[in-house]
Amino acid sequence: MPSSLSPQAKAAFHALGRLGLVAQGAVVAASVAVVWLLIAPIGYATLGTDGVLQSAMAGGLSLCAALFALVLGSFFHGSAAAMCGMVTGMFARMSVALVVVAAAQQGVALLAGSALVLDLVIFYLATLAVETSLLVARVQLESARSVAALPKAV
């Protein structure tokens, strides 16, 4: 964490690291909701109610994939496993979403437009940023705890 952060920002970052899995899921869900509130009006302006439905579908799909990735990432602990947790989470988030979208575009005419894929990319990037922040905060908290547990040198 950069030392140029204010004490309030550092405290908020450490609070993120102390969150449990359910609370982290709630943070991810809140971020998906905020992103949906930002892009749903654009979908409505371009495609009407179909655009809102496509953005809701992309948001729900991204949320499910992000929660799956968050659960997988919770199995990895420590700074050495952080990269493995992040890569596993990225793969899970991407593969689940792309497989479902590919299947839906083949079977549902409403979802055959490119707006769904664009919305999915927006949600993917947003959830990636949020989950990476949560992972970094958790790893830093675990590292600080392990350093504090080391015996003091005389």
Side-chain angles (χ1 to χ4, degrees), residues 2 35 43 53 79 87 92 115 135 148 152:
V35 171
L53 290 174
S79 58
V87 170
L135 178 66
K152 304 240 189 251

Side-chain angles (χ1 to χ4, degrees), residues 73 76 82-83 85-86 130-140:
F76 299 98
M83 184 60 103
M86 189 174 80
V130 171
E131 285 189 42
T132 302
S133 298
L134 290 170
L135 178 66
V136 168
R138 189 181 75 209
V139 167
Q140 284 190 346

